[in-house]
Amino acid sequence: MVAQLHYNVMREVFTRFRAASPTPEGELHYTNAYTLVVAVALSAQATDVGVNRATRALFEVADTPQKMLDLGEERLIEHIKTIGLFRNKAKNVMRLSQILVDEFGGEVPSSRAALESLPGVGRKTANVVLNIWWHFPAQAVDTHIFRIGNRSGICPGKDVVAVERAIEDNVPAEFQQHAHHWLILHGRYICLARKPRCGDCLIADLCLFEEKTV
């Protein structure tokens, strides 16, 4: 595992990220807190593009928990059958919608614990919702961030919780709100898993990755 980058280097890393993209956003489409929860839950082991394609028509007819219950599981499946694990995800969406109606008055709760109590909503999904909808500086660690963190020294850790803690502990406060978005997008388009585009990387001179590409 590489060493954690020094504070001054971290500040420079995120200063560059911010200069290149001042207000980065997630790529999933949503219209409210509920559709955000559903979209993020559906995105597990699927691409954002594929989820957006499937939910475009879905969210026009079911953008609240009650409307989703009224739609029913079979009609939901018709909308999301192009997404991986769609049957299990459909069951989770119906169950979480019922819980939101029964226990939360049809509203999406704003605590991590309450969000994680919903079927199909893990820590990463909860953190995405807290960050995007409530602007809480929660760090949603996915495979991209885990890879970048351990390659570069930005946020090394043996598991996703350790990487999440490394971001919270080491990224200067003024960059915390957008930190995970910058890292996800950097991993998705520049710091690729097999052939990282180090020649196009704006932090290549700061990164500790020893096997940089030309």
Side-chain angles (χ1 to χ4, degrees):
M1 186 183 300
V2 298
Q4 171 67 55
L5 293 177
H6 185 273
Y7 174 82
N8 292 334
V9 181
M10 292 286 284
R11 174 170 288 283
E12 178 61 21
V13 165
F14 285 93
T15 295
R16 294 183 190 182
F17 281 148
R18 183 172 62 185
S21 179
T23 55
E25 296 181 353
E27 297 181 320
L28 286 172
H29 297 165
Y30 61 93
T31 59
N32 55 30
Y34 172 71
T35 55
L36 177 59
V37 170
V38 172
V40 180
L42 292 176
S43 71
Q45 298 180 312
T47 66
D48 289 357
V49 172
V51 173
N52 289 339
R53 188 181 302 119
T55 57
R56 186 177 297 113
L58 172 64
F59 291 158
E60 290 179 358
V61 296
D63 61 353
T64 70
Q66 188 58 58
K67 288 180 182 178
M68 190 68 75
L69 294 173
D70 293 341
L71 183 69
E73 186 173 329
E74 291 306 313
R75 290 171 65 193
L76 169 59
I77 286 173
E78 286 301 308
H79 282 280
I80 67 170
K81 62 185 179 182
T82 57
I83 300 174
L85 307 175
F86 65 90
R87 291 192 182 279
N88 187 57
K89 290 177 180 179
K91 291 183 184 300
N92 283 336
V93 169
M94 299 308 294
R95 289 168 59 209
L96 74 83
S97 298
Q98 190 67 63
I99 291 171
L100 289 174
V101 169
D102 293 344
E103 299 183 18
F104 297 99
E107 300 294 326
V108 174
S110 59
S111 78
R112 184 183 288 117
L115 286 165
E116 287 191 76
S117 73
L118 301 173
V121 177
R123 187 178 183 88
K124 184 184 78 171
T125 297
N127 282 346
V128 170
V129 176
L130 291 172
N131 183 284
I132 292 177
W133 192 255
W134 280 285
H135 308 294
F136 179 78
Q139 307 300 333
V141 177
D142 68 352
T143 56
H144 295 303
I145 294 181
F146 187 82
R147 178 176 70 252
I148 293 171
N150 282 289
R151 268 183 180 173
S152 66
I154 292 174
C155 47
K158 67 183 188 306
D159 54 40
V160 294
V161 175
V163 170
E164 180 182 328
R165 177 59 60 84
I167 297 173
E168 293 174 345
D169 288 351
N170 295 285
V171 174
E174 61 268 37
F175 303 110
Q176 287 277 338
Q177 181 62 49
H178 296 305
H180 91 274
H181 280 127
W182 283 315
L183 292 172
I184 287 172
L185 294 172
H186 193 66
R188 188 171 290 171
Y189 298 111
I190 301 296
C191 195
L192 308 176
R194 294 186 178 180
K195 294 182 66 175
R197 297 169 52 199
C198 298
D200 298 321
C201 178
L202 52 78
I203 61 166
D205 59 315
L206 306 174
C207 169
L208 298 178
F209 184 47
E210 293 183 354
E211 301 174 26
K212 291 187 175 71
T213 59
V214 177

